[in-house]
Amino acid sequence: MKHMKRIILSLFVVSLLVACEQEAAPLLGTLSVAVDASNPEVLSCSVEVIEGDVADCGFYYGTSKNSVSNGKSDKVAGTYVGTTIQGEITKLIANTTYFIRAYAMNEKGQTFTEVVQVKTAASKPGADDNLHPGTLK
């Protein structure tokens, strides 16, 4: 009988632990940023969600690593599809170094990726960029 009480008590404790188990803030993988040489004003970003639900997500970006690290920079919303957060950062300046960091949050907290440094492509030459002999721009 004593052995049976221990088994019942153990099952009760296990069921309490399972019921009280709380989901944590999302766990993110490594941030990937793609530079489009044909469009220097756009960066495509993605990061895998390894664990946890996502209620809000996106990307902080700027030309200062400190402002991005502190969350005091511009940000764009991301889209959570399947197990991946995706987004585009637009209207950037060609041939400029940017710092980017992804974030994801749920009711248990917010998490971030490491800050990634990337340089946008050089601008494409436009029709007015062709200099003719004897002209100055």
Side-chain angles (χ1 to χ4, degrees), residues 8-18:
I8 292 172
L9 181 59
S10 295
L11 289 173
F12 178 72
V13 169
V14 168
S15 66
L16 276 177
L17 289 174
V18 170

Side-chain angles (χ1 to χ4, degrees), residues 23 26 52-58 78 80 85 103-109:
E23 186 178 315
D53 289 332
V54 174
D56 184 29
C57 58
Y80 181 48
I85 297 170
Y103 73 91
M105 61 190 313
N106 62 22
E107 65 279 353
K108 301 299 177 191

Side-chain angles (χ1 to χ4, degrees), residues 57-136:
C57 58
F59 303 91
Y60 287 99
Y61 69 98
T63 55
S64 163
K65 184 176 181 179
N66 286 340
S67 66
V68 171
S69 296
N70 297 330
K72 296 181 180 178
S73 62
D74 292 327
K75 73 176 182 177
V76 295
T79 304
Y80 181 48
V81 179
T83 60
T84 305
I85 297 170
Q86 301 172 342
E88 279 192 347
I89 301 172
T90 60
K91 299 180 182 174
L92 299 174
I93 300 168
N95 203 33
T96 302
T97 300
Y98 285 93
F99 298 90
I100 303 164
R101 185 179 204 191
Y103 73 91
M105 61 190 313
N106 62 22
E107 65 279 353
K108 301 299 177 191
Q110 184 173 14
T111 56
F112 302 91
T113 63
E114 295 293 321
V115 175
V116 171
Q117 178 179 333
V118 65
K119 188 171 186 176
T120 54
S123 63
K124 299 183 294 186
D128 293 336
D129 291 341
N130 295 323
L131 295 178
H132 300 287
T135 62
L136 296 176

